[in-house]
Amino acid sequence: MYRQENNFSLSELAKKAEMSVSYINEIEKGKKYPKRNKITALASSLGVSYDELVSLKISKKLGAISKLLNSNILQELPLDVFGLEPRNLLELMSDAPSKLSAFVNTIVEISRNYNLTVENFYFSVLRSYQEIHDNYFEDIEKAAREFRKKQINDDEPLEQQLYSYLRNYCGYEIDDESLSEHQALDTFRSVIKMSDDGIPTLMINKKLNSRRKTFIYAREAAFQVLGIKERSMTYSWMNVKSFDMLFNDYMATYFAGALLIPEDKIVEDVREIVESRTFSFDGFIDLILKHNTSPETFLYRLTSILPKHFGLSKIFFLRLDHIPGSNKYTLTKELHLDGLHSPHGTVLSEHYCRKWVSLKIFEDLEKNRKEGIDQKYLCDAQVSRYITSGKEYFCISVARALPLVDETIDTSITIGFLMNDDFRKKTNLWQSEKVRMEFVNETCERCPSVDCSVRASEADVLKKHQQEKERITALESILGKGVVS
């Protein structure tokens, strides 16, 4: 890793450290362990300390190796079918770029969830890639800053400026009528049509308000600024043909978020929240409205800003959809930074714990609707403490009616923080009197609570695990401990 960071080839490092290329190659492959004087020479050549070079702490970019070794995936994958041995895979990974590490993270994830479509697989790869980089991409941030400086006047409406950029600079035709002529296309925000002479037509849903149109224009500008060719023609996705397409589309979306919510401005706003001892629900909504963006875009932007500028990286992001009056909740987007996998969407085929604020907020939204309270967004916060592990999370949720798809569908957006010592030192939000504490679990099927008033299902998974433990204990009493694996 240090050799790659210094852009040294094997031969260059060998020359600096006065060793042979083959010897360093064998060290990197784990076939030889150098003596103290050799480690000292390597550390000096790489510009790091001796202790850093022998440290057991692994870089996040190489974290996939640790995950792989600590999982059972190497035993479950039929590597021999591909002519591979575990050592071959580890040697490949030790020289892997970030994208390959993200790919391997996904392979580990498959060991926990076998019911993956190709599209879900690609999305898992993308989430792993985001996790490796703390969902912060300096080159995209820089491109957005430079574009804003060159093309945008803060005193004029952003929507009109982006519209003019696409029309006059990029040669777009913009059509806000064609999509409405086809009912089956009514849920798309936009569709791109290329003419025979290469002129793009942006067909945009006329249901979109000014704010959403601005986001579409910003995202479309990203494809031009970043020089992206392989991309989807619909937004949102209809199908994902390749990982590169999904990755490119995400980078365009990231650019749009960075353009609409400039890094320097949101950092100042977030600092006020982080340093406060109280949490204002109305104030948080006002902040979203101040940046003229959607709750989803704003909270997702926080997953990039908080790790980079505030050192708060143990974050999860969830978006859930709900049909009012039903007992059905659908996870439509998730992101877990820093290896945080609880709560996790792979168990949402079960009944998600109804005590999480991301679900409870739907009840408040429905109640306001029935009482005729016209509230565009609803905000709530909660300290969620796991019954089983005792881990605590500080969660902020914002709910609203889901636009475009169906006004009878509600959605909640949640950002949650693991409340470890680092979190408690860096913010006092969790001490706010307005924030209640709830005992939660992951799903009803896994929950040991015997007096839960909102249980949606029996603890079948938990009972199965308990029965399995009892069977193992009984077998060990007959066969002896250590015999039963």
Side-chain angles (χ1 to χ4, degrees), residues 215-396:
F215 182 85
I216 295 297
Y217 294 152
R219 184 176 179 274
E220 205 59 41
F223 290 115
Q224 302 299 319
V225 174
L226 302 176
I228 294 174
K229 301 300 181 184
E230 186 175 359
R231 52 164 296 182
S232 63
M233 294 292 105
T234 62
Y235 184 63
S236 297
W237 295 283
M238 182 172 181
N239 55 61
V240 181
K241 296 181 180 179
S242 69
F243 176 69
D244 284 342
M245 176 182 290
L246 179 65
F247 181 81
N248 290 341
D249 279 16
Y250 172 72
M251 287 304 167
T253 300
Y254 186 100
F255 177 97
L259 178 62
L260 300 180
I261 311 176
E263 187 173 10
D264 57 341
K265 294 182 180 179
I266 191 174
V267 165
E268 290 305 312
D269 289 334
V270 171
R271 180 169 285 110
E272 291 184 17
I273 295 176
V274 169
E275 294 177 355
S276 175
R277 286 187 174 271
T278 61
F279 183 75
S280 170
F281 302 148
D282 292 337
F284 194 76
I285 291 175
D286 288 342
L287 189 56
I288 295 173
L289 297 175
K290 172 186 174 181
H291 287 275
N292 194 30
T293 187
S294 69
E296 182 174 347
T297 299
F298 184 81
L299 267 71
Y300 207 74
R301 185 78 172 117
L302 291 183
T303 65
S304 302
I305 296 301
L306 288 166
K308 173 67 176 180
H309 294 279
F310 298 90
L312 298 173
S313 60
K314 293 187 179 296
I315 300 174
F316 69 81
F317 173 97
L318 299 177
R319 170 181 147 170
L320 293 111
D321 292 347
H322 171 60
I323 299 176
S326 76
N327 198 29
K328 184 178 181 182
Y329 301 87
T330 306
L331 181 73
T332 53
K333 184 177 288 187
E334 67 172 327
L335 179 66
H336 300 262
L337 298 185
D338 207 18
L340 194 64
H341 287 292
S342 183
H344 200 276
T346 55
V347 295
L348 280 191
S349 56
E350 302 170 19
H351 293 80
Y352 214 41
C353 178
R354 271 40 179 170
K355 291 187 176 181
W356 281 91
V357 66
S358 49
L359 275 72
K360 293 182 70 173
I361 197 171
F362 286 123
E363 297 178 11
D364 296 330
L365 194 63
E366 288 184 50
K367 182 180 178 181
N368 287 353
R369 188 180 292 129
K370 290 177 181 178
E371 294 177 356
I373 300 175
D374 185 17
Q375 196 167 9
K376 187 173 184 180
Y377 303 140
L378 184 65
C379 180
D380 199 359
Q382 177 189 91
V383 172
S384 301
R385 179 182 296 172
Y386 266 92
I387 297 173
T388 50
S389 68
K391 286 184 177 180
E392 292 184 336
Y393 296 87
F394 178 76
C395 306
I396 303 171

Side-chain angles (χ1 to χ4, degrees), residues 12-20 23-24 38 41-42 45:
E12 288 173 330
L13 179 57
K15 184 177 181 180
K16 285 179 175 291
E18 298 182 347
M19 301 177 193
S20 69
Y23 183 65
I24 292 180
K38 299 292 186 182
L42 286 169
S45 301

Side-chain angles (χ1 to χ4, degrees), residues 13 83 88 112 114 136 165 178 191 215 247 322 350 355 387-388 406 420 443 459:
L13 179 57
N88 300 140
R112 301 197 308 267
Y114 293 94
Y136 182 87
Y165 172 79
S178 294
V191 174
F215 182 85
F247 181 81
H322 171 60
E350 302 170 19
K355 291 187 176 181
I387 297 173
T388 50
D406 189 332
N420 55 12
T443 69

Side-chain angles (χ1 to χ4, degrees), residues 445-459:
E445 283 82 351
R446 299 166 189 265
C447 183
S449 177
V450 295
D451 58 353
C452 179
S453 61
V454 292
R455 178 181 286 278
S457 175
E458 294 299 319

